[in-house]
Each structure stands twice: as C-alpha cells, then as structure tokens.
Amino acid sequence: MKIWIALILATLAVSAYAQCGCDTMKWATCDGTPCVCHLMVGNGTKQVLDCNKLIPKCFLMQGEMYRGRKGLSTRTGIGGKPDETAFVDNDGIYDPDCEADGTFKAKQCNNTDTCWCVNSAGVRRTDKGDMTLKCDELVMTYWVRLELKHKPTTGKVNPANLKAAIADAIHKRYKNFNKDMIKEVQYDPDARLLIVDVQQPKGERKSDLTHMAYYMEKDVKVLPLLKSQEPFVPQVGDQKLEMENILVYYVDEKAPTFTMQHLSGGIIAVIVVVAVAVVAGLLVLFFARKRHNKYNKAQQREMDNM
Ligand SMILES: *[C@@H]1O[C@H](CO)[C@@H](O)[C@H](O)[C@H]1NC(C)=O
C-alpha cells in the first residue's frame, strides 16, 4: 500500500515538474513550484506570462526586440481589402510600450523622437509625428482578414467543409479560440487562396483576435511561437493545407487617419516622368534650332559669295 502511494506521489511530482513549461511561448523560461514563467523583454526586465492563454502581442514584440538586440535568434526551432478602411502593417516590428496587462499603449515611439498612434494590434494607424503627437485612445481592431496561400495539394479541396475545418484548426491550435468569431471563409482553388474573416463585436475590449492573428503570422512566415514547433496545417477532408504565405488586413472601429503620404511615391514618379519629358522636348527644340541656324548661315554665305 505504502509503496503504491509513494509511487503515485512520485509520478505526480515528476509530471508536475515536466509541466513547468510554457505551451504558448517557446522563449519563456519557467521554474519554481508553483510554476512561474517569464519572458525577457525590452530593457532587460522579466515579464511574467500566463501560459494558459496566447501571450499578448505587445509582450511578444518586446521579447523579439530584446532577442534581436542580444543577437539571439528569433527563429529557433478573391482577396484584397475586406473594407475600404482596411490596412496592412507596412512598418514591421518595433519596441512597443505595453500596459501592465499586455495591451498596447495608444502612442508608440520605438525609443525615438518619432511617434505614431496604433490600434489594439499595435499597427500604426496615423502618420508619424514628433513627441507632441496626441493619441486620445487605443482604437480597437474588431476585424482581421487573413489571406492565406497554401501549397499545392495532392487532391481537390472540398469547399463545403472548408469553414468548419478552418474554424476547428484555429480553435484547436490557438488555445480554444472562439469559433464563432470566424465569420466567413472564402476559397479560390486556382490561386490556392484562403480568405478567413475573423470578427469580434464592435465595442469588445479584448484582443484575442489580434493575438491569434500574430501567432498565425509567425506560424506561416517564420516559425511557430508555440513551444510545440508543429506547423499550422489545417486538414480539410483528406487534404492537408500547408501554408506558404499570409497577409493580414486590419479593420478598426474607427477608420485610420493616414494622409496622402503613401501616394507620394507615385506622385514623385509622375513628376519625374513629366520633368524628363519636358527636358527632352527642350533639347530637341534646341538642337533643331541650332541646325536650322547653321543652315541659314550657310545659305547666307553662299549668297554672299555669289
Ligand atoms: C524601431 O527601431 C529599430 C531600431 O531601434 C528599427 O530597426 C526599426 O525599424 C524601428 N521600427 C519602426 C516601425 O520605426
């Protein structure tokens, strides 16, 4: 009897020890009883993590910037806009300021004098300004569109099963992500394009949707953030969809306030083309004139000789 109890206690201890890890963050370090996990973030502080959930994107970005600075590896281990106000992240990663609960501060400066306002996904939604820039509130992203391109499959993908299969795969992989938020799945078999619209009710203050989108972005573009390095491969019927690319569109509760800055490249190109054309035209005129004058002078001389 005693032996049995001792054995059971021993296995419990071993499994408790084995479980001191962080499923949702491969760079986390965990120790102690009870098990506590943390992530090194900007300026070398330890951020305590709740590994029963997806880790807030703001902490993940801080962790990635920290690893980048330390020279640690960050790798280890249809289509179009959903809405006219939708936008993509053209800036990439920066070192964000986070609230204690992991939400982004509305104003971000990346440790520089240049600041901008972000949405709840930490993506810039205004022009860049100086440190006096005001961001009144953190505007929620309530809709993300995931444009996933998958690799060629061995057989046909049955579009009838698609939405349920994708919702299921997302639910299982990303900590029981709420399937009801997956509103629509469109599919273009020729382009191998899968478009997944994920929405939360307007006015919702949680950011599960943006965390999930970030985990998926890393799953497809780099390597999983999850401790388990198994790739994200949704199964639809008998077909496995291995992903090769992802583009994320963000739709915020309020439209972003970018000005025409993103058009300036196009405008500059037009100005350059017009300028070149004008200069070329002037050169042609100039040489034509010169030739004409020479001809006239030659004629004049001939006349004089006569
Ligand atoms: C943030 O700063 C880092 C260097 O400190 C730079 O590499 C990165 O491009 C900046 N990101 C943005 C969005 O400005």
Side-chain angles (χ1 to χ4, degrees):
M1 193 64 186
K2 260 187 198 159
I3 287 179
W4 280 114
I5 290 172
L7 216 65
I8 287 166
L9 284 179
T11 31
L12 277 182
V14 166
S15 64
Y17 178 77
Q19 269 163 20
C20 188
C22 190
D23 288 346
T24 50
M25 183 66 253
K26 61 182 172 184
W27 300 319
T29 41
C30 305
D31 49 38
T33 34
C35 177
V36 176
C37 298
H38 60 251
L39 178 67
M40 293 302 282
V41 294
N43 60 47
T45 50
K46 290 179 174 181
Q47 175 62 52
V48 174
L49 302 180
D50 178 358
C51 297
N52 294 314
K53 295 185 182 159
L54 296 183
I55 310 304
K57 179 176 173 184
C58 197
F59 292 157
L60 293 174
M61 280 171 64
Q62 284 186 332
E64 191 168 337
M65 288 298 288
Y66 173 80
R67 292 182 72 84
R69 274 200 297 273
K70 291 271 151 188
L72 296 168
S73 165
T74 51
R75 293 180 65 95
T76 57
I78 8 179
K81 287 181 168 199
D83 178 278
E84 63 194 14
T85 66
F87 53 106
V88 296
D89 183 357
N90 287 315
D91 293 354
I93 194 162
Y94 57 92
D95 192 14
D97 283 328
C98 312
E99 305 284 359
D101 66 355
T103 51
F104 285 92
K105 295 223 163 122
K107 181 174 164 183
Q108 297 289 343
C109 307
N110 195 20
N111 305 320
T112 63
D113 295 344
T114 307
C115 303
W116 58 89
C117 307
V118 299
N119 59 20
S120 59
V123 176
R124 185 162 66 86
R125 47 169 279 117
T126 63
D127 291 332
K128 289 185 178 174
D130 58 18
M131 291 177 93
T132 62
L133 181 79
K134 281 238 176 336
C135 309
D136 295 327
E137 51 164 353
L138 183 70
V139 177
M140 296 300 290
T141 297
Y142 76 102
W143 179 5
V144 295
R145 168 168 288 183
L146 310 164
E147 267 193 29
L148 289 153
K149 183 170 185 193
H150 69 77
K151 295 182 182 165
T153 49
T154 50
K156 268 204 158 162
V157 177
N158 182 356
N161 299 331
L162 207 57
K163 187 179 168 193
I166 295 298
D168 213 49
I170 289 177
H171 173 80
K172 287 218 181 87
R173 185 171 181 90
Y174 304 110
K175 281 282 167 193
N176 300 325
F177 187 83
N178 183 358
K179 286 185 196 181
D180 296 340
M181 284 164 60
I182 296 156
K183 299 291 181 204
E184 206 185 341
V185 176
Q186 299 170 63
Y187 185 53
D188 178 347
D190 298 325
R192 290 184 267 125
L193 213 55
L194 200 63
I195 291 160
V196 183
D197 282 306
V198 191
Q199 267 184 43
Q200 67 188 22
K202 278 196 181 183
E204 168 73 76
R205 302 303 296 170
K206 282 195 272 177
S207 298
D208 298 3
L209 162 147
T210 53
H211 301 336
M212 186 276 281
Y214 194 62
Y215 270 80
M216 194 187 286
E217 219 180 328
K218 294 291 179 186
D219 276 341
V220 174
K221 281 196 188 155
V222 205
L223 282 169
L225 291 164
L226 301 172
K227 192 165 81 174
S228 148
Q229 290 292 291
E230 251 170 64
F232 173 60
V233 184
Q235 174 126 12
V236 180
D238 57 355
Q239 296 300 311
K240 288 195 156 95
L241 300 186
E242 283 180 59
M243 301 302 173
E244 65 177 38
N245 208 354
I246 183 170
L247 181 64
V248 183
Y249 286 99
Y250 302 87
V251 186
D252 293 351
E253 288 185 358
K254 287 184 186 165
T257 61
F258 299 114
T259 54
M260 305 272 284
Q261 268 182 7
H262 57 294
L263 289 179
S264 58
I267 288 172
I268 288 169
V270 169
I271 291 172
V272 167
V273 168
V274 169
V276 166
V278 166
V279 168
L282 286 176
L283 285 177
V284 167
L285 266 179
F286 175 74
F287 284 115
R289 244 307 214 341
K290 216 170 164 183
R291 262 179 77 177
H292 191 71
N293 283 348
K294 236 189 223 163
Y295 178 72
N296 275 355
K297 269 182 199 149
Q299 239 179 6
Q300 195 94 43
R301 241 174 278 142
E302 243 162 72
M303 294 275 266
D304 289 349
N305 285 349
M306 276 170 79

